[in-house]
Amino acid sequence: MKQLILSLAFTITGLHLFATIRTVSNLPATLAQFNTIQAAVNAAASGDTIYIHGSPNAYSSFTITDKQLVIIGPGWSPNKNLPFTANVPGFTFNGTLCSNTEIQGLVITSTVAINSNHPNNLRFIRNYITQSISVQLLEAGTYIGYLFEGNVFDNAFVHASTGATYQNFLFQNNYFFESGCCVGGNFNGFTNSINVLINHNLFFGPASGTRDVFSSNCRFLTITNNVFVKRNAANANSSSTFNNNITFNAGTNNPWAVNSNTDAGGNVVNTDPLMADQSAVNAGTNNALGDYTIASGPANNSGSDGKDMGLLYDAVGSLNWVNSRTSRLPFLFSMNIINPTIPVGGTINVAVEARKSN
């Protein structure tokens, strides 16, 4: 009897070790547990994962309060037959227990607010952040361990506070486009920075004029392996360290030589990076699905890690810009009915093709 009781105890305890997957769709024809993200968040417990179906209809905004969740949409340009995205008009984090939450594969069309008892170690992966939208990190104190990876910042920015401290941040493999109309810089207010690394990103802007990358007195950043085309990385950025970056028609083409910045070596001044779609970049064409590979020239295999400057195109692993359009999940690419005419009692044959996205 004691063995049975002990076994039951382990079984009941084990139930809490397995997170629940919850699904959301605002299309009646799509089978899901919830039709709003907020309803799924309210039902979730810390450690749960929420899958959001792509839809032609925008979802409503939502708030996560003191829960650590993984929220996954289909990506900002899903590579499949029905490429619906999950458009979300912003969301809010409340409470330190939101730490370690991951947001992946969403199209974000309004403000992301992280300014009420802020959490640490948030991850933003493969999202599309649209025009004039900011990720707000405005609460006093220290923000620790944020990751921004594989995102599109389309006239969007990360809005920090000069009164807060930002520690162990990584901005990696992101696409930053600025048209010149609405955003003063992609990084705002990173004045007190400790181990804030801006690594392997593409920054470019319109066909005429040069726009700033940094605003509101950013300092103490580590800026490495980036491509800057018609984007000025010097203004409002001081006491930062640059290595293995390349500039081209960037206004200040040697940002590492001004404002008490440090040239740590490997930087290339005002030289064409020779990306595959370089002509489109020079023309200020905003196309996150463009080909930004580098086959030769000064940016080829010239990063501090021996890789190309700019966006990463690793053949293995998750850091390949080609995969950034889709979330990190296997997905249904197509489903076709082979025999649409079926006799009574007959069998329907369906061909399904699934793909993976590292």
Side-chain angles (χ1 to χ4, degrees):
M1 178 62 70
K2 289 183 179 179
Q3 272 189 320
L4 176 59
I5 294 172
L6 183 61
S7 177
L8 287 172
F10 276 123
T11 301
I12 293 169
T13 303
L15 292 176
H16 298 282
L17 300 179
F18 297 97
T20 300
I21 294 176
R22 305 177 189 275
T23 57
V24 181
S25 176
N26 60 10
L27 284 177
T30 303
L31 183 64
Q33 298 165 308
F34 302 93
N35 57 23
T36 69
I37 302 172
Q38 189 64 65
V41 169
N42 292 345
S46 281
D48 286 356
T49 296
I50 298 173
Y51 293 151
I52 305 174
H53 286 273
S55 170
N57 306 315
Y59 287 89
S60 298
S61 60
F62 60 94
T63 298
I64 304 173
T65 301
D66 278 330
K67 293 180 182 180
Q68 181 262 309
L69 303 174
V70 177
I71 296 181
I72 303 177
W76 48 265
S77 182
N79 184 21
K80 58 183 183 178
N81 283 357
L82 294 174
F84 291 136
T85 59
N87 287 33
V88 178
F91 45 92
T92 301
F93 290 92
N94 284 328
T96 58
L97 296 181
C98 295
S99 295
N100 300 301
T101 289
E102 179 172 316
I103 304 294
Q104 182 185 148
L106 301 181
V107 175
I108 301 168
T109 61
S110 191
T111 299
V112 177
I114 313 170
N115 51 10
S116 177
N117 298 317
H118 70 265
N120 292 320
N121 303 308
L122 298 185
R123 297 182 294 277
F124 297 86
I125 298 174
R126 299 185 182 182
N127 303 288
Y128 196 110
I129 306 172
T130 57
Q131 188 165 359
S132 301
I133 301 306
S134 64
V135 178
Q136 295 186 346
L137 311 171
L138 300 178
E139 183 186 289
T142 301
Y143 291 77
I144 300 174
Y146 281 49
L147 170 67
F148 294 83
E149 179 182 285
N151 302 287
V152 175
F153 287 83
D154 183 354
N155 287 285
F157 62 105
V158 180
H159 188 22
S161 169
T162 57
T165 299
Y166 303 92
Q167 181 175 340
N168 298 337
F169 273 51
L170 175 58
F171 295 87
Q172 178 172 255
N173 208 34
N174 300 289
Y175 170 105
F176 290 91
F177 176 80
E178 221 276 72
S179 68
C181 76
C182 309
V183 178
N186 299 116
F187 297 90
N188 184 354
F190 281 87
T191 301
N192 303 304
S193 305
I194 302 172
N195 295 327
V196 174
L197 175 61
I198 300 170
N199 182 54
H200 277 295
N201 303 283
L202 170 61
F203 297 87
F204 75 105
S208 61
T210 301
R211 301 289 292 179
D212 296 328
V213 174
F214 303 98
S215 62
S216 296
N217 193 23
C218 295
R219 301 185 301 175
F220 311 126
L221 306 171
T222 301
I223 302 166
T224 181
N225 302 319
N226 301 285
V227 171
F228 298 96
V229 177
K230 295 182 180 174
R231 298 297 309 280
N232 188 343
N235 191 36
N237 178 21
S238 62
S239 303
S240 294
T241 300
F242 289 77
N243 67 278
N244 298 81
N245 302 280
I246 186 168
T247 63
F248 188 47
N249 295 330
T252 302
N253 282 300
N254 58 341
W256 43 84
V258 299
N259 300 341
S260 300
N261 291 321
T262 298
D263 182 354
N267 296 299
V268 181
V269 178
N270 197 23
T271 304
D272 191 331
L274 298 177
M275 291 175 281
D277 281 345
Q278 188 69 50
S279 60
V281 171
N282 293 344
T285 302
N286 181 12
N287 178 18
L289 295 176
D291 184 354
Y292 304 108
T293 58
I294 299 173
S296 63
N300 178 241
N301 298 329
S302 298
S304 60
D305 50 9
K307 301 176 183 179
D308 296 344
M309 296 178 183
L311 296 174
L312 290 161
Y313 286 89
D314 289 355
V316 296
S318 63
L319 291 177
N320 188 329
W321 183 253
V322 172
N323 295 327
S324 66
R325 62 189 295 182
T326 305
S327 62
R328 290 176 174 170
L329 286 175
F331 61 95
L332 186 64
F333 177 79
S334 65
M335 183 172 65
N336 298 304
I337 299 175
I338 298 173
N339 56 332
T341 302
I342 307 166
V344 176
T347 301
I348 183 171
N349 296 313
V350 180
V352 176
E353 181 182 350
R355 298 183 179 181
K356 68 175 184 176
S357 181
N358 288 338

